């Protein structure tokens, strides 16, 4: 078919008209976020930390459920395992918390390998339940780890976070107290993690692997027939999500400084809320979790003082959105406006060759 | 050496035997038609050749290599391209992306390398105007074209076509026949399952007849069409 | 006068632990009224931990960072007190905590709970309550009132309380051994277990006369029913936590009669509030009047928490954390739960700085004629100033 | 007035239009055959009548009622049963259960019962407890027809009942039709085998590309007419 | 004798889990609907029984009988109005909607009944037992187990011997063709969920009399129920009972070794069964 490659002038791009503008806006926003600790109050930094870490978890879950069709209700396994590994690194091995966060991510990655082996034998709903059981097993096993407090839990050695790499420097540079400097360093780490996570997911989706992933999600059998290996594609995504989730878990618990199995493997905190964030914002888009986490944060601040009403309303909103706007708030918005901050569509442009050249293959009518 | 050779291939679904010791070989560059009543096992035969379904017994050799135990991905890479009888597009991807997936994965190349070829195939199969639309929005005819286009994008050595002419108007059918002839002329071997006999017979040089999973006829179209079995079982013409 | 003194208060107002916080509103209302009457200007920022340790840590951080409270108060179970105290310690913000035995609080916040040599005191967080040594003393004193074979079956879950109670160094085992009891501890079970046949079989074959442990209410009900079904009938069952609240005992029907437990506080305790001058009885009665519910033990401690806070703030500049911390350490105040002073009395040296102890006695639930249960104090050897209402009785 | 008739029936699959104004009529007790090439819209016609595809209310009338907008179960209750293309037996049900399920929406007490079906297709009685899908294609088709009859319909719609069946089996199945007609039921059959269709039908409609291109009684239709109507003008 | 007792207690416990799981299996088997709110619905039913017991002074068994039709209606409406809209190829919508429902029910109950743990009193039955040789068997656990068996038998009868059951299976196989038989899939699904809620009510009776319950304890038991269903094989009621028993026995045997292993052992048994048989012990021939 070599003669086909010659004359035509095709271009393939994923950019939309607005995408260059939105890329710039996003870069500006990231720069602004980086500088935020200089001019906002500590409580805002704190809230931003919460938003960013939840965003990372939501992006990871969305990557699994929205892009790979892997509905996991066991992501708390990786949050908790990453966090426990971080604690072990700091408390038992005397590592710097910063290094221990990386250890947390790696530990979650390591956990995901045997886990994947098991859960990928299961399909659909079985997969969901399988991930949940695995998370329970990990929780119950870590509850037996006496050196880290067993079921009681444990706290980071006092001062560990204050001696973390960079904290002293930030404290001196900005003239703030130790705990505040720790918060700022953690915030920057969260920002970095969020940006890298979103960037990597975006890059993945625009890569060949991302295309294969979409194909597998849409039609597994057909994907196999055009050369895509569904198991490998899904496993890859599963491992990546576990790694990022583990990093986020470790980071969250550096900030909390206290861990217990029930907290670190909490289904509501690390999976339920995350699912709500993705569903409210819009599953299967990068923008969705971003919108979702903001809405979730606002809801939480408005309603948190109403105790169980808060969760009740959150549940109702989740149900209503799933029933009436299954593509979430971002979906509603994008359907109206066609807006896309992170376009992944490959748009084909260019001219087909003049009819004379295609004569040989089309024949005359 | 034949490009594809089936030897005593069998497959059952429970008590139902859908492939019963099927053996035949296809020479490089040959175009073979497969006919038979509904449920005879034609689509299943394709699924066995592509690996979407595992054989119970027998061997399948492709291009000299035993592929009986290989998964569909490997066979695709080796050069087996197929269409599905019921079109199976990647619905949320655009038509062009459907081809990109097939191009990039089916021939182990980068997206960049296969982009132009995919675009040319779109033109060739008449899908170019729909290139940037989601495949889920296509009608049945275009879905069938997409099946063909996607199979072509994997750069196959052999192309398995499952009833892609059904439901086409006379003119469309003619166009399709021309396209398939052109593909064939480039040296791609073809196996075509089709009920639209005049279209089939204007392309293939040999017919295999399947009935209850068995090969009950194999030869040149004229003799096959005239044979008693085919007239009785398949054409339903009183003899 | 200027700005009000800001107190932050965290407790589990919703979720499984909500019973501990049921008197919060009543007590805080009373606190605000009393301080206003005394011409003091206080503001209390109340946060709900939702019985969730993650949430507890978050709201503690909010109190410190957004509300900029002068002092954090926290009550009820290690699941709530520990995350809050850990956060305060990291933030160098003064914190007073209560209503959790001191070992799970103190040891549970150590980086390596298994290694006593590594334990360190805290700078800014303080706790008042009793400890395991007290509950052990109370339980063994109660058991001593009866004739038993000195064989004890232990039911300790794998949670903050259970691990501390069953701990080989600081928990029940060493003391019981010293007193001549033999403890049969089959091992840590998970909370919300549906079957206790393993434990029952172990106790039965051992012939244990005494059962003890620290259980959550549903688990104790499961255990107690199953024990009766299996024909295991110990003479004594002294259980922490599960039968703290009258509702939980009533849930056992008639089978709650003569179950024994530790009593931290009761309507009969001979103490007065330093804040309102109310006696324990009056406080309990006020609560029942306001809510229509029977009094419960945490009421006194939540009240005392605010008493201590006011006392501390009288002695320090509220905005100066260092001064507040110093003032807490120097406290010596008679509260509605007894004396609170961080003087290290009756404590091992490592905990002396951060922990103050309040008196503990033992009680038994007695079926009232016409339904309902009364908690009767049956042993006061540990705190003779608290009057008893009867003698220890063996179960049916 | 006809028992069942369509007026300018149109039908769509999403955006794809499969029928373009089809008019057919069926009288009480009559058997009508619909023939036509692959994709002509024959199945779509039956699906529209049986309520699997919703159409405009006025486009289909049955016994004086407009039924175009009714859902499948409602259509069945009025007395129209369908033997779907490809048999569609329920794999988790045995042969007998497959038959019994036909009685679920039963309208009245008519002639058909389990025994009646077993009399019609004796071979089914022997295999009554086997899963429906374990039967041969022809036997499966018998179950599908029996299942349709169990509701005692006034109209039985049969979609390609001889598809992919050996000629002997086809003969057995078609042998049953006179008995079905004898109970007073009207029948619409779709048939690829033109000879077979002409043999059983009182009247024939020929469809192409979503339109009726020819109709008449078997006696009046020549093979050439049919061939032209079948393949269009450019037929080879 | 101790091991015999351990296994016997495990089997009885398995009855409880099977009872929790039976309703789930029904809904899962017919509609492929993963109901994450199942545990909370059990708790809801327990509160309903509790209200009937305390408000009308009914015996709990009579109260449960009164609650049966109420729960049936609730399940019917829930499926007809809400869950039917979520059914389809994608498993995510039902999963998320029932998850939201779980949160709503839990917190609605918290608002209505507070977090106090409650108990339905069954009087002397609670502690009664039957002595067989050296082993004593609690009357309530035995009743629970027998009820589980009865529920399974009843479900099997309904499923395999009645025209409703045929309609269930037919709709599950192919709802479009079932429509041609006069079967209204939405109502069949609603009826199935209604039936499942009746099973839930029976489960609630035993949950509520066995130990304390509170609004938040649903999910903890749900996971065992799911395990039982999955180990058993999709759509097999006897399989569900077997699954419940496997988990129950694994738990008691694990506990006999060391209570630390109790719950873990149940989960590990689940993993092991699935490793060997990914589709469960008694999978249906066609899926
Ligand atoms: N996955 C499967 N499980 C069970 N039976 C199957 C499966 N796939 C196909 N069959 C059965 O195998 C037989 C052969 O099917 P196949 O699709 O190969 O027929 P075909 O010759 O392609 O028919 P058509 O001309 O209608 O496409 C049919 O009876 C079909 O019902
Ligand atoms: N579910 C569907 N979605 C989209 N298009 C469809 C669908 N079913 C049928 N069609 C299309 O509608 C047209 C009419 O189809 P129909 O099945 O009615 O034809 P038919 O005459 O019954 O053909 P056959 O002889 O193959 O059964 C065809 O072009 C077909 O491709
Ligand atoms: Mg086929
Ligand atoms: Mg058809």
């Amino acid at each position: 078919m070599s003669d086909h490659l010659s004359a035509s002038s095709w271009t393939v791009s994923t950019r939309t008209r607005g995408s260059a503008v939105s890329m710039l806006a996003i870069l500006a926003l990231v720069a602004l976020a980086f500088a935020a600790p200089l001019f906002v109050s500590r409580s805002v930094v704190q809230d931003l930390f919460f938003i960013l870490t939840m965003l990372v978890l939501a992006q990871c879950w969305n990557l699994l459920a929205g892009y790979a069709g892997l509905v996991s209700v066991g992501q708390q396994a990786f949050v908790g395992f990453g966090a426990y590994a971080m604690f072990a690194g700091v408390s038992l091995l005397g590592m710097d918390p910063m290094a221990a966060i990386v250890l947390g991510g790696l530990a979650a990655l390591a956990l995901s390998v045997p886990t994947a082996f098991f859960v990928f034998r299961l399909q659909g709903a079985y997969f969901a339940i399988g991930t949940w059981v695995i998370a329970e097993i990990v929780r119950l096993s870590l509850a037996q780890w006496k050196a880290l407090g067993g079921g009681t839990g444990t706290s980071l050695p006092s001062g560990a976070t204050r001696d973390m790499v960079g904290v002293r420097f930030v404290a001196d540079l900005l003239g703030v107290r130790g705990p505040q400097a720790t918060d700022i360093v953690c915030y920057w780490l969260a920002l970095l993690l969020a940006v890298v996570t979103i960037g990597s997911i975006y890059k993945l989706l625009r890569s060949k692997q991302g295309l294969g992933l979409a194909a597998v999600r849409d039609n597994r059998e057909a994907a196999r027939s055009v050369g895509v290996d569904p198991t490998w594609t899904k496993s890859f995504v599963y491992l990546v999500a576990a790694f990022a989730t583990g990093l986020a878990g470790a980071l969250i618990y550096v900030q909390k400084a206290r861990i217990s199995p029930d907290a670190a493997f909490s289904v509501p905190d690390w999976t339920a809320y995350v699912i709500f964030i993705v569903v409210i914002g819009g599953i299967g888009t990068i923008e969705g979790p971003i919108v979702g986490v903001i809405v979730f944060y606002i809801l939480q601040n408005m309603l948190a003082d109403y105790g169980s009403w808060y969760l009740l309303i959150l549940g109702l909103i989740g149900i209503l959105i799933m029933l009436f706007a299954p593509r979430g708030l971002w979906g509603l918005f994008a359907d109206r406006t066609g807006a896309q901050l992170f376009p992944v569509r490959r748009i084909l442009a260019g001219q087909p060759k003049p009819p004379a050249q295609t004569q040989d293959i089309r024949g005359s009518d | 050496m034949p490009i594809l050779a089936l030897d005593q291939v069998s497959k059952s679904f429970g008590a139902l035997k859908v492939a019963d010791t099927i053996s035949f070989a296809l020479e490089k560059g040959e175009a073979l038609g497969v006919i038979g009543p509904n449920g005879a096992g034609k689509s299943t035969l394709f699924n066995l050749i592509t690996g979407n379904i595992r054989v119970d017994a027998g061997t399948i050799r492709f291009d000299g290599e035993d592929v009986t135990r290989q998964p569909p991905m490997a066979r695709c890479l080796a050069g087996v391209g197929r269409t599905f009888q019921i079109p199976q597009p990647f619905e949320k991807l655009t038509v062009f992306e459907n081809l990109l997936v097939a191009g990039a994965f089916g021939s182990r190349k980068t997206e960049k390398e296969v982009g132009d070829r995919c675009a040319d195939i779109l033109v060739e199969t008449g899908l170019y105007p729909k290139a940037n639309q989601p495949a889920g929005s296509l009608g049945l005819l275009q879905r069938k074209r997409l099946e063909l286009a996607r199979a072509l994008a994997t750069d196959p050595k052999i192309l398995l076509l499952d009833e892609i002419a059904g439901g086409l108007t006379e003119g469309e059918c003619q166009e399709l026949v021309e396209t398939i002839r052109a593909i064939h002329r480039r040296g791609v071997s073809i196996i075509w399952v089709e009920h639209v006999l005049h279209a089939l017979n204007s392309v293939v040089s040999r017919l295999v007849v399947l009935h209850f999973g068995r090969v009950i006829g194999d030869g040149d179209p004229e003799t096959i069409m005239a044979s008693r079995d085919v007239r009785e079982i398949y054409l339903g013409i009183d003899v | 006068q200027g700005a009000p003194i800001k107190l932050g208060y965290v407790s589990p107002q919703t979720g499984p632990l909500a019973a501990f916080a049921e008197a919060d509103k009543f007590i805080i209302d009373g606190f605000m009224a009393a301080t206003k009457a005394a011409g003091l200007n206080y503001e209390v920022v109340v946060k709900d931990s939702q019985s969730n340790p993650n949430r507890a840590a978050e709201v503690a951080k909010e109190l410190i960072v957004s509300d900029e409270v002068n002092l954090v108060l926290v009550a009820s179970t290690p699941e709530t007190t520990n995350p809050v105290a850990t956060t305060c310690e990291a933030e160098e913000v003064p914190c007073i905590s209560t209503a959790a035995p001191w070992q799970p609080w103190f040891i549970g916040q150590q980086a390596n709970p298994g290694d006593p040599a590594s334990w360190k005191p805290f700078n800014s967080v303080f706790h008042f309550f009793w400890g395991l040594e007290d509950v052990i003393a109370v339980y063994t004193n109660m058991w001593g009132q009866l004739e038993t074979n000195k064989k004890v079956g232990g039911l300790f879950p794998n949670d903050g309380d259970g691990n501390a109670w069953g701990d080989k160094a600081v928990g029940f085992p060493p003391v019981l051994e010293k007193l001549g009891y033999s403890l049969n501890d089959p091992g840590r079970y998970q909370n919300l277990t549906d079957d206790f046949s393993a434990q029952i079989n172990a106790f039965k074959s051992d012939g244990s006369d005494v059962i003890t442990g620290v259980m959550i209410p549903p688990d104790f009900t499961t255990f107690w029913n199953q024990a009766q079904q299996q024909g295991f009938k110990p003479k004594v069952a002294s259980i922490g936590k599960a039968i703290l609240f009258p509702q939980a005992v009533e849930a056992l029907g008639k089978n709650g009669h003569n179950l024994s437990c530790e009593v931290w506080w009761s309507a009969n305790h001979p103490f007065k509030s330093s804040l309102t001058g109310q006696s324990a009885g009056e406080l309990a009665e006020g609560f029942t009047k306001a809510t229509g519910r029977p009094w419960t033990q945490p009421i006194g401690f939540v009240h005392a928490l605010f008493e201590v806070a006011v006392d501390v703030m009288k002695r320090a500049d509220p905005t100066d954390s260092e001064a507040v911390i110093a003032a807490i350490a120097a406290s010596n105040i008679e509260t509605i739960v007894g004396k609170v002073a961080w003087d290290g009395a009756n404590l091992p040296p490592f905990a002396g700085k951060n922990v103050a102890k309040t008196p503990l006695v033992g009680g038994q639930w007695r079926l009232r004629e016409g339904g309902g249960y009364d908690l009767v104090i049956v042993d006061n050897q540990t705190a003779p100033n608290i009057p008893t209402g009867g003698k220890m009785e063996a179960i049916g | 007035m006809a028992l069942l008739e369509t007026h300018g029936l149109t039908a769509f699959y999403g955006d794809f239009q499969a029928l373009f104004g089809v008019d057919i009529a069926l009288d009480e007790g009559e058997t009508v055959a619909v023939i036509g090439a692959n994709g002509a819209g024959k199945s779509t016609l039956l699906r529209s009548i049986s309520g699997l595809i919703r159409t405009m209310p006025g486009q289909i009338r049955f016994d004086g009622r407009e039924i175009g907008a009714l859902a499948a179960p409602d259509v069945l209750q009025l007395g129209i049963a369908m033997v779907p293309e490809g048999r569609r037996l329920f794999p988790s049900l045995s042969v007998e259960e497959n038959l019994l399920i036909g009685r679920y929406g039963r309208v009245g007490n008519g002639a058909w019962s389990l025994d009646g079906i077993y009399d019609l297709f004796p071979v089914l009685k022997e295999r009554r407890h086997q899963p429906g899908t374990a039967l041969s294609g022809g036997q499966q088709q018998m179950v599908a027809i029996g299942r349709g009859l169990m509701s005692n319909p006034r109209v039985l719609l049969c979609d390609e009942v001889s598809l992919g069946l050996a000629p002997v089996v086809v003969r057995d199945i078609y042998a049953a039709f006179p008995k079905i007609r004898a109970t007073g039921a009207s029948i619409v059959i779709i048939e690829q085998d033109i000879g077979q269709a002409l043999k059983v039908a009182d009247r024939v409609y020929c469809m192409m590309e979503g339109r009726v291109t020819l109709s008449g009684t078997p006696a009046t239709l020549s093979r050439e007419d049919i061939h032209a109507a079948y393949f269009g003008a450019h037929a080879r | 004798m101790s091991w015999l007792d351990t296994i016997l207690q495990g089997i009885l416990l398995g009855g409880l889990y099977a009872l929790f799981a039976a309703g789930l299996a029904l809904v899962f088997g017919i509609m492929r609907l993963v109901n994450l709110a199942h545990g909370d619905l059990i708790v809801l039913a327990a509160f309903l029984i509790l209200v009937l017991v305390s408000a009308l002074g009914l015996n709990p068994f009579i109260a449960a009988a009164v609650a049966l039709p109420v729960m049936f209606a609730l399940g019917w409406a829930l499926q007809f109005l809400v869950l039917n809209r979520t059914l389809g190829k994608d498993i995510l919508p039902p999963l998320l909607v029932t998850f939201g429902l779980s949160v709503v029910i839990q917190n609605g109950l918290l608002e209505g009944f507070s977090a106090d743990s409650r108990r339905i009193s069954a009087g002397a039955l609670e502690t009664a037992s039957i002595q067989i040789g050296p082993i004593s068997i609690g009357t309530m656990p035995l009743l629970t187990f027998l009820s589980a068996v009865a529920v399974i038998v009843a479900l099997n009868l309904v499923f395999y011997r009645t025209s409703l059951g045929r309609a269930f299976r037919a709709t599950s196989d192919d709802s479009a063709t079932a429509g041609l038989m006069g079967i209204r899939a939405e109502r069949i699904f609603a009826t199935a969920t209604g039936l499942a809620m009746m099973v839930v009510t029976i489960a609630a009776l035993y949950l509520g009399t066995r130990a304390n319950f509170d609004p938040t304890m649903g999910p903890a038991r749900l996971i065992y129920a799911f395990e039982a269903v999955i180990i058993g094989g999709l759509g097999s009621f006897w399989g569900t009972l077997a699954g419940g028993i496997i988990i129950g026995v694994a738990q008691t045997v694990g506990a006999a070794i060391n209570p630390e292993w109790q719950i873990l052992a149940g989960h590990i048994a689940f993993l092991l069964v699935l490793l060997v048989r990914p589709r469960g012990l008694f999978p249906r021939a066609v899926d």
Side-chain angles (χ1 to χ4, degrees), chain D residues 20-34:
Chain D
F20 301 83
V22 171
D23 296 334
I24 64 153
L26 174 73
D27 288 325
E28 188 93 50
E30 192 185 25
T31 298
V32 158
V34 181

mmCIF file of all heavy atoms in Angstrom, chain D residues 20-34:
data_model
loop_
_atom_site.group_PDB
_atom_site.id
_atom_site.type_symbol
_atom_site.label_atom_id
_atom_site.label_comp_id
_atom_site.label_asym_id
_atom_site.label_seq_id
_atom_site.Cartn_x
_atom_site.Cartn_y
_atom_site.Cartn_z
ATOM 1 N N PHE D 20 -40.417 2.545 5.108
ATOM 2 C CA PHE D 20 -40.874 3.803 4.503
ATOM 3 C C PHE D 20 -42.325 3.661 4.045
ATOM 4 O O PHE D 20 -42.586 3.428 2.872
ATOM 5 C CB PHE D 20 -40.009 4.152 3.276
ATOM 6 C CG PHE D 20 -38.551 4.305 3.573
ATOM 7 C CD1 PHE D 20 -37.723 3.192 3.643
ATOM 8 C CD2 PHE D 20 -38.000 5.565 3.777
ATOM 9 C CE1 PHE D 20 -36.376 3.335 3.913
ATOM 10 C CE2 PHE D 20 -36.646 5.701 4.039
ATOM 11 C CZ PHE D 20 -35.840 4.587 4.114
ATOM 12 N N GLY D 21 -43.266 3.784 4.938
ATOM 13 C CA GLY D 21 -44.662 3.776 4.542
ATOM 14 C C GLY D 21 -45.144 2.431 4.034
ATOM 15 O O GLY D 21 -45.497 2.270 2.869
ATOM 16 N N VAL D 22 -45.171 1.447 4.926
ATOM 17 C CA VAL D 22 -45.594 0.106 4.526
ATOM 18 C C VAL D 22 -47.092 -0.068 4.814
ATOM 19 O O VAL D 22 -47.569 0.250 5.899
ATOM 20 C CB VAL D 22 -44.775 -0.960 5.288
ATOM 21 C CG1 VAL D 22 -45.363 -2.343 5.053
ATOM 22 C CG2 VAL D 22 -43.325 -0.903 4.858
ATOM 23 N N ASP D 23 -47.836 -0.543 3.831
ATOM 24 C CA ASP D 23 -49.252 -0.855 4.017
ATOM 25 C C ASP D 23 -49.450 -2.349 3.807
ATOM 26 O O ASP D 23 -49.184 -2.853 2.713
ATOM 27 C CB ASP D 23 -50.121 -0.129 2.968
ATOM 28 C CG ASP D 23 -50.050 1.383 3.128
ATOM 29 O OD1 ASP D 23 -49.777 1.830 4.251
ATOM 30 O OD2 ASP D 23 -50.262 2.088 2.123
ATOM 31 N N ILE D 24 -49.907 -3.021 4.827
ATOM 32 C CA ILE D 24 -50.297 -4.417 4.619
ATOM 33 C C ILE D 24 -51.596 -4.656 5.378
ATOM 34 O O ILE D 24 -51.954 -3.877 6.278
ATOM 35 C CB ILE D 24 -49.235 -5.439 5.090
ATOM 36 C CG1 ILE D 24 -49.032 -5.334 6.608
ATOM 37 C CG2 ILE D 24 -47.920 -5.269 4.360
ATOM 38 C CD1 ILE D 24 -48.556 -6.629 7.199
ATOM 39 N N ALA D 25 -52.279 -5.718 5.036
ATOM 40 C CA ALA D 25 -53.526 -6.043 5.722
ATOM 41 C C ALA D 25 -53.614 -7.544 5.892
ATOM 42 O O ALA D 25 -53.081 -8.308 5.081
ATOM 43 C CB ALA D 25 -54.726 -5.529 4.923
ATOM 44 N N LEU D 26 -54.285 -7.957 6.965
ATOM 45 C CA LEU D 26 -54.441 -9.374 7.262
ATOM 46 C C LEU D 26 -55.880 -9.583 7.708
ATOM 47 O O LEU D 26 -56.358 -8.912 8.632
ATOM 48 C CB LEU D 26 -53.476 -9.777 8.386
ATOM 49 C CG LEU D 26 -53.607 -11.188 8.930
ATOM 50 C CD1 LEU D 26 -53.074 -12.197 7.930
ATOM 51 C CD2 LEU D 26 -52.847 -11.311 10.245
ATOM 52 N N ASP D 27 -56.595 -10.486 7.037
ATOM 53 C CA ASP D 27 -57.978 -10.750 7.425
ATOM 54 C C ASP D 27 -58.042 -11.882 8.433
ATOM 55 O O ASP D 27 -57.112 -12.674 8.551
ATOM 56 C CB ASP D 27 -58.797 -11.127 6.185
ATOM 57 C CG ASP D 27 -59.043 -9.917 5.307
ATOM 58 O OD1 ASP D 27 -59.203 -8.811 5.877
ATOM 59 O OD2 ASP D 27 -59.024 -10.063 4.066
ATOM 60 N N GLU D 28 -59.163 -11.952 9.100
ATOM 61 C CA GLU D 28 -59.406 -13.021 10.070
ATOM 62 C C GLU D 28 -59.216 -14.374 9.378
ATOM 63 O O GLU D 28 -59.785 -14.602 8.301
ATOM 64 C CB GLU D 28 -60.849 -12.878 10.587
ATOM 65 C CG GLU D 28 -61.199 -13.780 11.739
ATOM 66 C CD GLU D 28 -60.973 -13.091 13.088
ATOM 67 O OE1 GLU D 28 -61.458 -11.970 13.264
ATOM 68 O OE2 GLU D 28 -60.296 -13.684 13.931
ATOM 69 N N GLY D 29 -58.416 -15.254 9.995
ATOM 70 C CA GLY D 29 -58.266 -16.601 9.458
ATOM 71 C C GLY D 29 -57.345 -16.725 8.262
ATOM 72 O O GLY D 29 -57.128 -17.812 7.744
ATOM 73 N N GLU D 30 -56.777 -15.626 7.829
ATOM 74 C CA GLU D 30 -55.959 -15.627 6.627
ATOM 75 C C GLU D 30 -54.490 -15.914 6.951
ATOM 76 O O GLU D 30 -54.050 -15.648 8.068
ATOM 77 C CB GLU D 30 -56.074 -14.247 5.978
ATOM 78 C CG GLU D 30 -55.525 -14.158 4.570
ATOM 79 C CD GLU D 30 -55.574 -12.724 4.053
ATOM 80 O OE1 GLU D 30 -55.562 -11.792 4.888
ATOM 81 O OE2 GLU D 30 -55.595 -12.533 2.846
ATOM 82 N N THR D 31 -53.746 -16.429 5.994
ATOM 83 C CA THR D 31 -52.303 -16.535 6.140
ATOM 84 C C THR D 31 -51.640 -15.673 5.075
ATOM 85 O O THR D 31 -51.962 -15.800 3.888
ATOM 86 C CB THR D 31 -51.826 -17.983 5.978
ATOM 87 O OG1 THR D 31 -52.410 -18.771 7.008
ATOM 88 C CG2 THR D 31 -50.303 -18.059 6.082
ATOM 89 N N VAL D 32 -50.756 -14.793 5.545
ATOM 90 C CA VAL D 32 -50.089 -13.876 4.636
ATOM 91 C C VAL D 32 -48.597 -14.129 4.722
ATOM 92 O O VAL D 32 -48.071 -14.326 5.828
ATOM 93 C CB VAL D 32 -50.428 -12.415 5.003
ATOM 94 C CG1 VAL D 32 -49.382 -11.485 4.470
ATOM 95 C CG2 VAL D 32 -51.799 -12.037 4.480
ATOM 96 N N ALA D 33 -47.908 -14.134 3.602
ATOM 97 C CA ALA D 33 -46.460 -14.297 3.618
ATOM 98 C C ALA D 33 -45.800 -12.986 3.212
ATOM 99 O O ALA D 33 -46.306 -12.283 2.337
ATOM 100 C CB ALA D 33 -46.036 -15.399 2.666
ATOM 101 N N VAL D 34 -44.695 -12.653 3.868
ATOM 102 C CA VAL D 34 -43.915 -11.489 3.485
ATOM 103 C C VAL D 34 -42.559 -12.008 3.038
ATOM 104 O O VAL D 34 -41.889 -12.721 3.791
ATOM 105 C CB VAL D 34 -43.749 -10.503 4.653
ATOM 106 C CG1 VAL D 34 -42.947 -9.294 4.206
ATOM 107 C CG2 VAL D 34 -45.103 -10.077 5.191
#
